[in-house]
Amino acid sequence: MNDAEYTSGSIEIPLKDSDEVIELGLDQLPDGDEVLAILIQENCPLHVWIRLAIGYYKQAKLADFVRILEASRTSANTNYRGYEKDLLKALDTLAAHYVQMANKEKNKELKKDYCSKATVLYTSADKISMYDSDHLLSRAYFCLLDSDKLDQADAQFNFVLSTNAYNVAALVGKASIAFNKKDYKTSLNYYKKALKTNANAPAGVRLGMGLCFYKLGKVPKAKLAFERALELDGQCVGALIGLSIIELNNKTSESTKLGVDLLSKAYKLDSKNPVILNHLANHFFYKKEYQKVQQLAMHAFHNTENELIRAETCYQLARSYHIQGDYDQAFQYYYQATQFNSSSFILPFFGLGQMYLHRNDSENAALCFEKVLKSSPNNYEAMKILGSIYSNSKEAEKKEMAKANFKKVTELCPDDVEAWIEYAQLLESHDIQGALNAYGIAIKILKENVQEGIPPEILNNVGSLYFRTGNFDESKRHFENALRLVNNELMHDKVYYGAIQTTIEYNIARLHEAKHEYDMAEKSYRQILSRHPQYIDCILRIGCMCRDRGQIHEASEWFKEALRFTQTQPNSWSLLGNLHMDKEQLGPAQNQFERILKFNEQDTYALCALGNIWLHTLYQPSKEKDKGKRHEQRSLQMYKSVLKIDPRNIWAANGVGCVLAHKGLLNEARDIFAQVREATADFSDVWLNIAHILVEQKQYIRAIQMYENCAKKFYKHTNTQLLLYLVRALFRANRLLECKTMLLKARHVAPDDTLLMFNMALVQQKLARQVMSDNKSNLKAVQSAMYDLKSAWKTFNYLIMSGESDRFREFKVDAKMEAKFCEDLLSQGKYHLTRAERIDQEEKEMKRKQEQEIQQLKLKQMQEEMQREKELEEKRLALEQKRAEFIKSTQSLMIVEAEKKSAKKRSKKETGEVVSSASESDTAEPKSSKAKKSKSKKRRTADISDNDQASQDSQEARMSKSKKKSKSRIKNSILSDDDDTQEDSDTEKSKSKKKKKKTSKSKSSSKHESSKKAGDYKSREYISSSDDEGQEAKNAATGDESQDTNHDTQDNLSDLEEQNADETMQNAEEIEQDVEEEEGSVAEEEEENEEGDNQVEEQEEEQEEEEDEVDKEAEQEQGNESMVQGEQQSEEDNE
């Protein structure tokens, strides 16, 4: 039965026990009570009750509808087949009505009551048929009201779709669940499937599709879907709202007007719709009509139970109150908005954070902005505000987070001057150079982009940073520029700029003080005090200058003057307490620091100072045994209190380490000191404490190194207390001379310090005692020890006379006893001096004898060396003489051979001439020419010999510098050449058997080759001579041309002599170069001299044998030549 059947036509009510019926028109139903009475009286079946109830529902008579269905549960007739289905329908219909009423109800109690009734009805229906599709759909839509039951509703929709995959109601329900889970793509797919299943689906399907498109960023498609929904249902409020939002987001005048018109139309259709009311409130907020905003938002708040919508409503109310300055109401509604929706709606957290800042609640404000930044990581404003909050925190982690935030802000917006300034202020505490860079960028932006003057506050800050870096010139320049700007602005705002002027003048005075210009600094401070007598900082600085100059009383008066203006100023009490501490007045110092704690129990400086006082008492002698333990506990308690307030306080941690060290827990104390040193290396006390621990652990070398490094890093060797620590370590390490040197340095710094005097006397005494106890000490050491003893004795007596000796009793040392001990040692000084003198004389005598022995040994070595060199020189000269003789003999032999050869040639030619011409005149002429040639040859030979002798002398002079290895090499080469000559001569002898004349000629040529090889650089001269002799023989045969040829030959000979002389010089130079190259191996060659001598002797023997063989051969050749001459003479005689 469709909806038309319920709104048109009629229904028949059968009468009891009769065939008659009562016909009622559904469009004009009578009073519900009357119809209900008829139904009960006639005991009508259940399906009639259901038809009549739905008819009343269609006519908007909801009370009659509910009464009929409620009465049907007990009064309807169910004695017919299929009544279970009608009963299930009745229960589900009534339950669905209660669900709809609960969805519309604003009252929580009534809403809860409707839900309870619907739950009872659905439970009853489950007992009839739990898996009926219509029943499951109704129950699933009921679960959609509770966000916690979405999964249950989804399961029921899935069951329905498993039986009928095209059930539109189930598809739309699945789409709604996916939309609530923010799975917009899946939701859109279900809506599309429902639309494909039923093309005539209601406008709600199009509306759902439009919302999905909008969430997916497909705004044009969303707009088309909303427009289609309006075409299907002109009163679709959701579509009107969607279109209005799209138009308002276009942010043009026309679109804004159209969006407002759409909202107005939707408001006329549903004036209680909270979404419409919120958007209208937002519109009127930008029109600055805040009263209308509050009315519309409040109306929306009371017409919805949806927390998301209520959160937006509260936000609209909060910001309207915020902008009007009503911060209490704004805080209330911002906070309420965050409670309604604390996850997705971020805007209320931004406003709430601002309200917390207004209330000076930085912690809660930071939490709010952190949530904003978590949702929107690049939110510039939230990042900037959060950085400012963190920068004011005392936690180091927060400081680092602030630094990171400002760094990111400056990267996102590099032209934000405020961000750069805040970033610089954040870096001032730990990164001075980074702060200066940030201020520099801010100043550059102000000059170039903003085109405004630089505020004097920034220049003052920059000057202060330069002051901290020690760059006093730049600091002064910035302070002066800032002061000039302030003086120019005084006429505009005298109060504000007057305060800045005073601050800058104070900074300039501090600059003078740092530059040790105390007069100018004090003058500036007093000028400020003349205008501002209660300027406490100026009073305290004057007191500090007096303290540094040693004017303790004046410093105390200035500090008390500061207390006259205010008793709660902790700096004054602290400075007074420190003055008492320096004077070892622990009681008054304790009172000063305790006064600070009365005003501020968490003053870490005062607590730490009290801990130091209790720690200091541990090193004072006391008769009470338990007093030390009590003071240890109090000191430790103070340091722990500081660490609870500030866990990173290095001074308190250092104090804890000192207490542990005093208890004897050296390893634990050392671990704490090491941790403190890792935290900061610019804390001198921890360096000293580590060194003290090393001394106690008897690691003196490491302790000394630590003291020295500390002195270099922090004090430049001018701190007498540190030098005393170093002296103690050296003393315990028994390095007394270094200990004495350090004490002398300390006394140069503080010559009147009695403690230094006392320690110097002790060191001198121990040094003297060590020297005197050593029987091997020399005279100089003993004299120095006696001097040290006298000086120590005088020092002890001075301390006794001045009354300063009593202060050293705490060190368990008595000056009188030490002086007496020095006096005893001095009385033994004569004995030690005598012993030292005797030892000194013995040492001198022994040294003299040793020197004599050394001199004699050196002289002996020199003589041996000279003798050895003389022998080597004699051997060298002998070898050179033998070589010269050998060369001379070889040259003589070569000359003889050359003469024999020339004689053979002449005899051969003379024989030929006689055969051709037998006249005696012709034969006589060659003889005379031969005699002339022989004479000229002898002269040339003599000249050559003279030249050779001169060159030989020069060569011998150069070769005298060479060693035996080069000489033996030259001799060996000559000997090898002689061997070759001998072999050649033997070969020629074997051939002489064939023909006598040919043998003579070959022998002369062999001799010529032998002379060439043996003579080396002189062979060319003899070859030229032999050639000249042959040429003379030819000239003699030619007659008239002989004289001219002789002249030419003489010229050629002179040229050859010059050429040979040049070649001789070149060869000599080459030999000299070889010698110079071999000089580098002189040391090795000297070691091989003995072997070289043996080799030379062997070579000399071989040379003698070879010379004998050469003489034999020469005699044999002379005999052969004489035979040849005899034959020639006989032939001539015959002719």
Side-chain angles (χ1 to χ4, degrees), residues 248-484:
L248 289 172
N249 286 338
N250 289 332
K251 296 180 181 179
T252 62
S253 58
E254 294 180 359
S255 63
T256 302
K257 184 177 180 181
L258 180 58
V260 173
D261 292 340
L262 291 170
L263 282 176
S264 299
K265 186 177 180 180
Y267 179 75
K268 291 177 181 179
L269 293 174
D270 187 1
S271 60
K272 294 184 179 181
N273 190 304
V275 178
I276 298 172
L277 295 171
N278 280 334
H279 282 290
L280 286 172
N282 184 63
H283 170 68
F284 285 113
F285 178 81
Y286 288 108
K287 293 185 69 175
K288 298 182 180 181
E289 298 181 16
Y290 305 118
Q291 193 65 32
K292 288 184 178 180
V293 173
Q294 295 169 10
Q295 291 175 358
L296 291 168
M298 190 62 69
H299 192 40
F301 183 83
H302 292 295
N303 281 283
T304 184
E305 291 294 326
N306 187 290
E307 291 187 351
L308 293 175
I309 298 175
R310 280 198 164 189
E312 187 174 354
T313 302
C314 291
Y315 173 71
Q316 296 293 344
L317 287 168
R319 66 175 184 167
S320 66
Y321 286 118
H322 188 176
I323 200 169
Q324 293 180 80
D326 192 349
Y327 299 118
D328 292 334
Q329 288 289 334
F331 175 82
Q332 178 183 350
Y333 284 110
Y334 278 134
Y335 183 79
Q336 198 169 358
T338 59
Q339 296 302 308
F340 283 128
N341 185 14
S342 60
S343 58
S344 58
F345 194 37
I346 298 300
L347 293 176
F349 286 100
F350 198 96
L352 183 62
Q354 291 175 310
M355 294 299 101
Y356 276 123
L357 287 176
H358 182 264
R359 295 185 173 196
N360 295 323
D361 190 351
S362 300
E363 185 175 354
N364 286 321
L367 293 175
C368 293
F369 288 111
E370 284 174 359
K371 290 182 178 180
V372 176
L373 206 59
K374 184 178 180 180
S375 177
S376 180
N378 292 325
N379 189 297
Y380 172 78
E381 293 294 337
M383 199 181 301
K384 186 176 176 181
I385 295 172
L386 199 58
S388 299
I389 295 172
Y390 288 154
S391 63
N392 295 323
S393 175
K394 295 181 180 180
E395 299 179 9
E397 295 180 359
K398 297 292 185 182
K399 294 278 188 181
E400 291 297 324
M401 293 172 67
K403 182 180 177 182
N405 280 350
F406 277 118
K407 186 175 181 180
K408 194 171 182 180
V409 167
T410 54
E411 290 174 356
L412 292 173
C413 186
D415 294 333
D416 191 337
V417 179
E418 294 180 357
W420 281 110
I421 293 174
E422 289 195 50
Y423 187 36
Q425 291 174 348
L426 179 63
L427 295 175
E428 286 178 356
S429 59
H430 61 280
D431 187 2
I432 297 176
Q433 191 58 46
L436 286 172
N437 294 335
Y439 275 128
I441 295 173
I443 292 171
K444 184 178 179 181
I445 294 171
L446 286 171
K447 288 181 178 179
E448 296 178 358
N449 298 348
V450 183
Q451 295 181 355
E452 291 185 0
I454 303 171
E457 298 92 329
I458 294 179
L459 293 175
N460 180 65
N461 291 346
V462 173
S464 300
L465 291 174
Y466 278 119
F467 176 83
R468 290 169 59 186
T469 59
N471 191 345
F472 297 142
D473 294 334
E474 283 294 322
S475 177
K476 182 179 180 180
R477 184 173 67 83
H478 282 84
F479 284 146
E480 290 176 351
N481 291 337
L483 188 61
R484 185 174 61 255

Side-chain angles (χ1 to χ4, degrees), residues 803-815:
E804 294 287 338
S805 60
D806 295 336
R807 60 175 294 197
F808 305 116
R809 289 181 180 176
E810 59 179 296
F811 303 112
K812 299 180 180 180
V813 180
D814 190 358

Side-chain angles (χ1 to χ4, degrees), residues 58-286:
K58 293 297 182 181
Q59 293 182 10
K61 296 179 179 180
L62 301 180
D64 295 335
F65 164 77
V66 172
R67 281 199 301 271
I68 290 173
L69 288 180
E70 287 287 353
S72 67
R73 298 175 60 188
T74 56
S75 302
N77 182 9
T78 57
N79 294 327
Y80 61 92
R81 180 179 294 179
Y83 81 94
E84 292 90 352
K85 187 175 182 180
D86 291 338
L87 180 60
L88 181 64
K89 185 176 181 180
L91 292 173
D92 287 340
T93 302
L94 185 57
H97 171 68
Y98 285 139
V99 170
Q100 191 174 14
M101 293 300 291
N103 189 31
K104 293 180 179 180
E105 185 57 50
K106 311 304 179 186
N107 191 311
K108 289 185 178 181
E109 295 297 330
L110 292 177
K111 186 180 183 72
K112 186 177 180 180
D113 184 56
Y114 285 131
C115 290
S116 299
K117 290 179 180 180
T119 301
V120 172
L121 292 171
Y122 282 126
T123 303
S124 300
D126 287 340
K127 296 177 181 179
I128 298 172
S129 179
M130 181 179 292
Y131 299 105
D132 183 79
S133 297
D134 293 336
H135 169 67
L136 287 175
L137 284 173
S138 180
R139 190 174 182 84
Y141 275 102
F142 172 57
C143 292
L144 290 178
L145 289 178
D146 190 354
S147 60
D148 296 332
K149 295 181 179 180
L150 292 180
D151 293 335
Q152 184 179 348
D154 188 55
Q156 292 171 355
F157 285 133
N158 288 333
F159 183 83
V160 173
L161 289 174
S162 66
T163 59
N164 182 10
Y166 299 101
N167 189 301
V168 175
L171 291 172
V172 172
K174 289 279 290 181
S176 299
I177 292 172
F179 188 89
N180 286 327
K181 290 182 177 180
K182 298 183 180 181
D183 188 0
Y184 305 116
K185 191 173 182 179
T186 303
S187 177
L188 180 61
N189 291 332
Y190 280 119
Y191 279 126
K192 287 181 178 180
K193 190 173 182 180
L195 190 60
K196 290 178 181 178
T197 303
N198 184 8
N200 296 322
V205 176
R206 302 282 183 176
L207 176 62
M209 291 177 66
L211 293 173
C212 290
F213 280 128
Y214 188 83
K215 291 292 186 180
L216 292 171
K218 300 177 181 180
V219 178
K221 290 186 177 181
K223 186 177 181 181
L224 292 174
F226 292 144
E227 290 174 349
R228 178 58 179 162
L230 282 176
E231 290 177 2
L232 296 175
D233 183 5
Q235 296 183 352
C236 183
V237 177
L240 289 171
I241 295 172
L243 286 173
S244 67
I245 292 173
I246 291 173
E247 295 296 337
L248 289 172
N249 286 338
N250 289 332
K251 296 180 181 179
T252 62
S253 58
E254 294 180 359
S255 63
T256 302
K257 184 177 180 181
L258 180 58
V260 173
D261 292 340
L262 291 170
L263 282 176
S264 299
K265 186 177 180 180
Y267 179 75
K268 291 177 181 179
L269 293 174
D270 187 1
S271 60
K272 294 184 179 181
N273 190 304
V275 178
I276 298 172
L277 295 171
N278 280 334
H279 282 290
L280 286 172
N282 184 63
H283 170 68
F284 285 113
F285 178 81
Y286 288 108

